[in-house]
Amino acid sequence: QKEVEQNSGPLSVPEGAIASLNCTYSDRGSQSFFWYRQYSGKSPELIMSIYSNGDKEDGRFTAQLNKASQYVSLLIRDSQPSDSATYLCALGRGSARQLTFGSGTQLTVLP
Amino acid sequence: GAVVSQHPSRVICKSGTSVKIECRSLDFQATTMFWYRQFPKKSLMLMATSNEGSKATYEQGVEKDKFLINHASLTLSTLTVTSAHPEDSSFYICSARDGRAGGPDEQYFGPGTRLTVT
């Protein structure tokens, strides 16, 4: 089992819809979880971090964490074409908090 | 938000030469910096972790003599690709975090350096 697994995608949603991105992880000891967005040819950009069970909202983005189920998700409300990118789920591990990335989910928001 | 710069953004070099890439944290003290490489349509692969003032820790399979990392100050880390070959052509990305006790876990990425070895 991979350490971090993301729904395979690609995912297409119409403009204005909710995009749902999911991620499961295998290490029950993981404490920090992140969602990054990466546009083609660019480096990752931090969207959300979440450390506690439950929901965390920031603008149109909501991260959800369920440690018992080893599951973290990202909801994007009112999706815009500019949200079209690859979304990377990552876990922090070790004392240096090295990131373990999932393979990413490519999202396309159709105008 | 935290800003990390990287220079150069793009470099083309001949096989056998060395290339140095700089990574700077502009508005915070980066006690820990990370170097990644990314091949087209693949996820990021961590190459090494460096803490200011100490030797870098390399991931398994990464040649430490080929990829020299120096983290001499709290705002600067460098990656030198020595004797570069075409298979070293890739997108190299650094990230940084404030690793002091109680500091946040978030890592912030530089814009990346696209290396092409001819």
Side-chain angles (χ1 to χ4, degrees):
Chain A
Q1 182 188 4
K2 290 184 181 178
E3 289 187 70
V4 182
E5 295 208 49
Q6 295 187 236
N7 45 346
S8 54
L11 177 66
S12 292
V13 300
E15 185 174 354
I18 296 175
S20 176
L21 304 161
N22 303 313
C23 176
T24 58
Y25 60 94
S26 58
D27 182 2
R28 285 194 171 274
S30 299
Q31 296 295 321
S32 52
F33 306 86
F34 308 92
W35 283 99
Y36 286 87
R37 175 175 63 194
Q38 187 175 25
Y39 292 111
S40 180
K42 303 294 185 182
S43 67
E45 171 192 8
L46 181 65
I47 298 175
M48 296 280 286
S49 59
I50 186 166
Y51 303 95
S52 304
N53 280 329
D55 294 359
K56 179 180 178 183
E57 186 174 317
D58 184 0
R60 296 185 296 112
F61 300 97
T62 300
Q64 299 173 318
L65 175 61
N66 184 324
K67 291 185 180 180
S69 300
Q70 295 172 252
Y71 173 94
V72 58
S73 66
L74 180 70
L75 298 177
I76 306 174
R77 290 181 300 282
D78 189 22
S79 296
Q80 302 297 308
S82 58
D83 294 326
S84 299
T86 296
Y87 289 80
L88 300 167
C89 171
L91 277 60
R93 59 179 171 90
S95 58
R97 296 296 187 265
Q98 291 139 331
L99 295 178
T100 300
F101 283 93
S103 56
T105 299
Q106 186 176 344
L107 171 67
T108 300
V109 180
L110 304 170
Chain B
V3 180
V4 178
S5 70
Q6 213 173 316
H7 178 80
S9 59
R10 189 179 294 267
V11 59
I12 301 172
C13 70
K14 292 188 175 180
S15 188
T17 61
S18 295
V19 173
K20 180 186 282 190
I21 302 169
E22 291 187 351
C23 178
R24 293 181 185 273
S25 59
L26 299 185
D27 53 2
F28 66 103
Q29 293 184 327
T31 55
T32 308
M33 286 186 166
F34 306 86
W35 287 95
Y36 297 82
R37 64 190 295 183
Q38 187 176 35
F39 292 105
K41 299 193 184 301
K42 299 293 185 183
S43 194
L44 284 81
M45 184 192 83
L46 178 65
M47 299 175 66
T49 302
S50 72
N51 291 297
E52 184 264 338
S54 60
K55 289 184 179 180
T57 302
Y58 290 81
E59 295 297 301
Q60 193 172 6
V62 177
E63 299 175 59
K64 60 179 70 175
D65 294 330
K66 181 168 187 62
F67 299 100
L68 302 178
I69 292 171
N70 184 282
H71 189 168
S73 79
L74 286 172
T75 59
L76 173 64
S77 177
T78 61
L79 167 68
T80 301
V81 183
T82 62
S83 186
H85 291 282
E87 57 265 30
D88 298 323
S89 299
S90 189
F91 191 40
Y92 292 87
I93 314 171
C94 72
S95 70
R97 64 174 286 257
D98 182 347
R100 292 174 292 177
D105 283 2
E106 285 85 352
Q107 282 186 32
Y108 297 92
F109 284 82
T113 296
R114 194 163 301 280
L115 171 64
T116 303
V117 184
T118 61

